[in-house]
Amino acid sequence: MKYDFIVFGGTGQQGKICARDLLESGYSVVLAGRNKEAVKNLLKNKKAGFIYVDLRNTDNIISAIKKSQAEVVVNCAELTYNVEIMKACLKTKRSCTDLGGLQKITLEQFKLDKDFKKAGIVNITGCGSTPGIANVMAAYAVEKFDSVDTIELGFAWDSNIKKFVIPYSIHSILSEFTEMPVTYHYGKYVKENRLLCMGTLNFKEVGKQTTYCIVHSEVYTFSKYFKNKGLKNIHYMAGFPEHSYNVIKTLIDLGFNSNTPIEINGVKIKPVDFADKVLGRLNIPKGYKEIENIWVKLYGKKSAADKKTEMNCIVRTVKGWEEAGSNIDTGRSISIMSQMLKNGLIKESGVYGPEAVVPWKEFFKELGKRKMFVYENGRRIN
Amino acid sequence: MKFVVLGGYGIIGKAVVADLYKYSKNSEIIVAGRDLKKANEYAHSFKSSRVKAKEIDINNENQLVDLLKGSDVCINCVQYYFNVQIMGACLKAKINYVDLGGLFHETKKQIKLDRDFKKIGKLAILGIGGTPGITNIMATYGSRLLKNFKSIEITFADLDYENKGFVLPYSFKTIVDEFTMKATVLENGKLIFAGPGSGRKEYDFGKEFGKQSGFYTLHSELATFPYSFAKNGLKNCEFRVTFSEDFSKKIKKLIELGFTSPNSISISGKELKIIDITDKIMERFAPKPGAKVNDKELLRVNFDNDKLIIDAVAKSNNDVSSWILDTGIPCSIAAQMIAEKRIVGSGVLAPEKAINPMSFFLELKQRGIDILKNGKRLK
């Protein structure tokens, strides 16, 4: 069978959300991963298929793409596999989307730009909520400025029941909290002291929250795409509710973020992989609901006067998607962008951030259909 | 004289071996455990033919009995889950036995082997570390001074001058048990169960140790005190642990998140218990050899709400923490007293019934552990 999409990391948290969105939009999807059991519900859909893939083996990736005959490759796997999957896309001449590569891997990915251009295919990196929605919102807002001096952005979220539920990839969270945050400061990338840029901000719908600078890919892509507007400063800030932050902090304090394997009964395991497995067993409490605010603040000038714009995307737990919480903004966004790619709404070739190639109007419309609402200075625009 | 120390390269086992080596001059000491490399490493550090390493799988009874045969005392410093099993091997090998406690439930099972030990004319002393251990003997001492009393409160306090942050004072699994298992409390002459973490109480340990908050936890003193001190009129007995708030919070988080579950997960096709993997990861917080150590521990037995307070105060020594020393040393002393026939009798006994307080306190004092009566050091 020829499929429309192949989703790598298809048995993971975001992969499942994305695949479900694609299936519900009427497309055929192959889920590529290791744990078939995790997607048995999705596989009840006749348009869904499963291919066993071990991403540590590049040949495995290439043969899965070939076997699926999918036009578009959707990468929802851990970011450490981004470059390998892109190389497989080059070999099989398929366009692809992914969920971003924080700082280091994003830079590696952009090095493949020429190869992608030569092959006439595209990779859009960072197609989730942030990076993703945030980038498109920034592109939308930037257009209304003559010049932009500073962009601050990030996310903040909370839940009605203060119990720990995995917000997104434990691997990503733990590296975001332990890698040195990088900000763009007067035209230069600067490593920040995490504690120095800690602060308290008030967020629309979410309320007051402590924020922390973390390393994120927008700092790199914004500086690249909005240079012509004179952009000098970019700060990325994560906001976790206290109950979730405390868990992450404890895990890091106790070394569960370590990548150095321990050996037990002849089996080697990385503490971070173990933490991921154990936390994956936690049940979502009954009635648990999340709310997330993806925000971008832009400061600059319009007609010689100071101008400030605040963009927000407010995402709540949606009926029928309770298990995904506010994660729908990541998994469903990459589904929307991947569909745009397949349907010819994005025609460029090369490696891009969403802010460079995703048409905002259509994208916001699709978000709205999925109850993810975009606000410009407090006024809903989708 | 010959001693076999099971788990002899573990946190407490090391302190036991070091004490035996120093104070039982002509003895032979076997450092035994499942990891021969670790056993060798520690045994060789003494550079003496008196200390030898042996590999042992506790679950292999024949092997264990063979190892134990011909020695005077088996000193059990492995995780308390194996106590009954190891005592069984001691019975077959016909040797004496001491351990570090059975966290109440295991202790109860161990006491049932009393007749068997009497039959072979050997002695088993249960829970002879710091607490249980020193606390039990302090209770005997206090009971002889007071004759009649209604209540005993047992607790302890730690003081770390180095402030190393998160440190495991003893086995992670035992700490988890203390945080999750129902505690026992003697109330009006009846043993009742209380929720883990309940019974919060603020203790004032004086100028040096300051105020520390404690909560009920399961402990083996409660398995024997109600009987040992019934004739003195004991009606109420409580044990509380004190941990810093940060320490408690972290342990509770791990428990709440499922990191201490006994269930198995599949790793590379092998089924492993979650608690075992977490235990392994937490090993990094066990005391490290060579690290600078400067700490003190106070163990307290309080009769009739401050009518009589008996404390034991231990100080760290070189690179060994006070709470390791005051657990390992009593175990070594008891084993030596048995081997030297300074304790006579047979059967399974709690320390408060087996050991003479004054001669035991003297041994402690020699090793820098002081006993205080109402704040005054015993001479």
Side-chain angles (χ1 to χ4, degrees):
Chain A
M1 178 169 167
K2 183 184 180 309
Y3 289 93
D4 296 317
F5 296 94
I6 178 166
V7 180
F8 287 106
T11 57
Q13 196 179 17
Q14 304 301 346
K16 284 194 281 190
I17 297 170
C18 170
R20 181 176 157 194
D21 190 281
L22 290 169
L23 288 165
E24 288 182 4
S25 303
Y27 296 100
S28 56
V29 182
V30 141
L31 297 144
R34 283 184 294 175
N35 185 3
K36 193 174 179 179
E37 185 63 22
V39 288
K40 59 173 191 243
N41 278 334
L42 283 172
L43 292 177
K44 285 177 191 158
N45 190 313
K46 277 182 191 142
K47 288 190 163 183
F50 176 82
I51 297 179
Y52 179 91
V53 170
D54 185 343
L55 291 172
R56 289 171 292 192
N57 180 338
T58 313
D59 293 338
N60 238 305
I61 304 174
I62 295 170
S63 70
I65 296 174
K66 283 184 179 160
K67 209 169 147 193
S68 74
Q69 300 178 58
E71 280 169 53
V72 175
V73 174
V74 184
N75 169 13
C76 294
E78 285 301 334
L79 55 94
T80 41
Y81 299 109
N82 286 2
V83 174
E84 283 308 309
I85 291 175
M86 282 174 77
K87 284 181 180 165
C89 287
L90 279 169
K91 284 229 166 92
T92 52
K93 292 216 187 312
R94 299 301 208 286
S95 285
C96 55
T97 52
D98 67 48
L99 293 171
L102 289 182
Q103 187 88 359
K104 275 185 230 148
I105 292 172
T106 301
L107 292 173
E108 288 301 309
Q109 291 181 251
F110 272 97
K111 284 184 190 158
L112 296 175
D113 181 53
K114 269 187 195 157
D115 297 331
F116 268 72
K117 282 200 163 78
K118 222 185 275 169
I121 54 171
V122 67
N123 165 262
I124 313 174
T125 179
C127 300
S129 53
T130 170
I133 298 173
N135 304 48
V136 182
M137 289 197 302
Y140 163 86
V142 157
E143 281 310 304
K144 299 183 178 180
F145 283 77
D146 291 335
S147 68
V148 179
D149 187 66
T150 299
I151 298 181
E152 287 172 353
L153 77 155
F155 63 88
W157 66 277
D158 206 348
S159 57
N160 60 338
I161 298 169
K162 310 293 176 203
K163 263 209 134 165
F164 184 79
V165 169
I166 299 182
Y168 51 96
S169 153
I170 286 296
H171 287 84
S172 297
I173 295 173
L174 294 177
S175 37
E176 284 174 0
F177 271 82
T178 47
E179 271 176 43
M180 283 269 262
V182 177
T183 61
Y184 194 58
H185 194 65
Y186 287 100
K188 275 187 183 141
Y189 299 109
V190 186
K191 285 199 171 170
E192 287 276 0
N193 181 314
R194 191 185 320 279
L195 291 172
L196 282 182
C197 66
M198 210 163 126
T200 307
L201 289 174
N202 208 5
F203 295 100
K204 183 180 168 64
E205 310 261 348
V206 174
K208 235 187 201 174
Q209 230 171 57
T210 308
T211 56
Y212 318 84
C213 278
I214 58 170
V215 59
H216 235 247
S217 62
E218 290 92 328
V219 175
Y220 175 69
T221 59
F222 284 13
S223 70
K224 177 182 169 86
Y225 294 117
F226 305 138
K227 207 183 222 162
N228 56 349
K229 291 279 183 184
L231 183 61
K232 286 198 260 319
N233 306 299
I234 309 165
H235 298 129
Y236 194 93
M237 280 172 251
F240 280 77
E242 208 187 340
H243 69 275
S244 190
Y245 175 76
N246 285 341
V247 167
I248 294 160
K249 181 85 179 23
T250 301
L251 292 178
I252 293 170
D253 286 349
L254 297 179
F256 286 83
N257 60 321
S258 168
N259 276 302
T260 312
I262 54 148
E263 201 180 318
I264 174 162
N265 296 349
V267 182
K268 278 189 178 164
I269 180 161
K270 290 179 184 174
V272 63
D273 292 337
F274 170 64
D276 190 31
K277 266 188 191 260
V278 174
L279 295 174
R281 294 160 42 92
L282 289 174
N283 290 321
I284 297 171
K286 230 182 177 175
Y288 177 86
K289 278 180 185 161
E290 286 179 349
I291 179 156
E292 182 162 39
N293 181 342
I294 316 282
W295 60 276
V296 184
K297 287 178 188 169
L298 305 96
Y299 305 85
K301 286 207 162 28
K302 174 77 185 174
S303 311
D306 286 344
K307 181 178 164 71
K308 183 195 161 190
T309 296
E310 179 169 348
M311 301 295 299
N312 298 102
C313 180
I314 305 290
V315 183
R316 292 170 187 279
T317 298
V318 173
K319 214 179 162 196
W321 291 80
E322 284 85 357
E323 257 187 55
S326 58
N327 267 312
I328 50 169
D329 57 10
T330 302
R332 299 192 81 178
S333 289
I334 193 172
S335 164
I336 298 170
M337 291 190 196
S338 305
Q339 291 176 43
M340 288 176 151
L341 197 55
K342 179 178 159 57
N343 297 329
L345 276 116
I346 298 164
K347 294 195 175 69
E348 286 82 350
S349 47
V351 179
Y352 296 96
E355 62 270 45
V357 291
V358 174
W360 60 264
K361 202 174 172 180
E362 289 80 0
F363 180 65
F364 291 165
K365 199 176 141 194
E366 290 299 321
L367 287 182
K369 279 190 200 165
R370 290 162 175 83
K371 295 198 170 65
M372 294 184 260
F373 300 120
V374 180
Y375 297 82
E376 178 183 9
N377 294 322
R379 189 178 58 90
R380 203 173 119 192
I381 59 167
N382 70 337
Chain B
M1 257 171 283
K2 187 177 169 187
F3 301 98
V4 176
V5 186
L6 300 175
Y9 51 78
I11 303 179
I12 307 297
K14 276 184 177 173
V16 172
V17 173
D19 190 80
L20 288 171
Y21 181 75
K22 191 171 172 190
Y23 290 94
S24 182
K25 293 272 185 241
N26 300 312
S27 62
E28 186 187 343
I29 307 153
I30 309 293
V31 178
R34 62 190 151 164
D35 191 332
L36 184 62
K37 202 179 141 223
K38 283 186 186 168
N40 266 324
E41 248 169 20
Y42 188 59
H44 291 162
S45 73
F46 289 89
K47 298 189 175 72
S48 161
S49 58
R50 283 175 51 208
V51 188
K52 295 187 183 79
K54 278 273 162 63
E55 186 177 355
I56 182 75
D57 175 3
I58 303 261
N59 290 315
N60 183 336
E61 201 191 31
N62 290 335
Q63 200 191 17
L64 184 57
V65 173
D66 278 348
L67 172 74
L68 296 175
K69 260 185 198 159
S71 60
D72 293 280
V73 188
C74 165
I75 304 170
N76 172 11
C77 296
V78 306
Q79 188 61 26
Y80 75 88
Y81 309 152
F82 302 98
N83 289 359
V84 170
Q85 201 174 318
I86 293 169
M87 283 173 88
C90 287
L91 284 169
K92 285 201 174 148
K94 295 197 169 42
I95 65 162
N96 300 294
Y97 168 92
V98 293
D99 71 27
L100 298 164
L103 210 65
F104 190 86
H105 298 295
E106 193 75 9
T107 306
K108 286 268 188 197
K109 288 184 215 158
Q110 293 177 254
I111 292 169
K112 289 184 183 150
L113 298 176
D114 181 51
R115 215 183 280 167
D116 297 329
F117 270 88
K118 278 198 173 106
K119 240 183 247 166
I120 62 163
K122 297 289 171 187
L123 196 58
I125 303 182
L126 307 182
I128 179 67
T131 169
I134 296 177
T135 49
N136 301 51
I137 297 163
M138 291 198 296
T140 302
Y141 174 68
S143 75
R144 288 180 187 170
L145 294 176
L146 283 181
K147 305 275 188 307
N148 290 306
F149 50 88
K150 266 197 167 134
S151 79
I152 293 179
E153 266 183 82
I154 312 149
T155 186
F156 63 88
D158 293 325
L159 197 58
D160 189 350
Y161 293 103
E162 286 297 315
N163 194 16
K164 290 180 293 293
F166 190 93
V167 174
L168 288 178
Y170 43 92
S171 150
F172 174 69
K173 286 183 182 176
T174 305
I175 292 169
V176 170
D177 287 344
E178 289 181 347
F179 272 83
T180 50
M181 289 166 87
K182 276 194 175 160
T184 45
V185 177
L186 184 71
E187 205 180 276
N188 296 323
K190 265 187 194 158
L191 264 185
I192 57 158
F193 285 93
S198 67
R200 283 224 161 256
K201 185 169 174 178
E202 187 92 1
Y203 285 108
D204 190 349
F205 291 102
K207 250 191 223 153
E208 201 175 7
F209 286 85
K211 284 183 181 158
Q212 296 199 24
S213 166
F215 56 87
Y216 288 150
T217 181
L218 190 63
H219 237 248
S220 51
E221 285 93 333
L222 267 298
T224 57
F225 278 23
Y227 310 100
S228 300
F229 302 113
K231 62 173 191 317
N232 304 88
L234 183 72
K235 289 271 182 297
N236 299 297
C237 188
E238 297 165 346
F239 184 94
R240 286 183 181 86
V241 285
T242 60
F243 286 119
S244 77
E245 205 175 316
D246 180 64
F247 184 88
S248 295
K249 262 191 188 162
K250 286 187 166 121
I251 297 291
K252 279 187 194 163
K253 265 280 150 331
L254 286 182
I255 294 166
E256 191 187 303
L257 295 170
F259 280 92
T260 59
S261 160
N263 292 335
S264 293
I265 52 170
S266 170
I267 311 269
S268 310
K270 232 184 181 175
E271 292 292 313
L272 293 169
K273 278 189 181 166
I274 292 176
I275 174 79
D276 289 342
I277 303 174
T278 302
D279 184 41
K280 194 87 193 171
I281 293 172
M282 296 297 286
E283 257 180 22
R284 76 180 68 198
F285 297 105
K288 283 176 202 69
K292 202 181 172 204
V293 168
N294 187 8
D295 54 51
K296 276 188 176 182
E297 184 167 61
L298 178 148
L299 307 169
R300 172 164 291 183
V301 178
N302 185 337
F303 293 83
D304 284 346
N305 301 315
D306 300 345
K307 189 173 171 190
L308 174 66
I309 295 175
I310 313 288
D311 290 334
V313 177
K315 289 183 288 286
S316 56
N317 175 13
N318 298 321
D319 59 348
V320 187
S321 277
S322 53
W323 43 84
I324 297 170
L325 290 173
D326 70 17
T327 309
I329 285 172
C331 201
S332 165
I333 295 174
Q336 291 175 53
M337 286 175 118
I338 294 173
E340 291 159 6
K341 309 260 185 308
R342 288 164 65 197
I343 304 175
V344 286
S346 62
V348 178
L349 290 175
E352 68 265 27
K353 285 289 180 195
I355 299 171
N356 178 320
M358 291 325 279
S359 48
F360 183 75
F361 291 167
L362 221 74
E363 294 285 342
L364 288 179
K365 193 167 178 60
Q366 222 187 326
R367 291 152 168 98
I369 300 173
D370 288 323
I371 303 293
L372 293 85
K373 181 178 125 191
N374 290 328
K376 276 194 191 129
R377 190 166 292 138
L378 291 190
K379 285 192 182 142

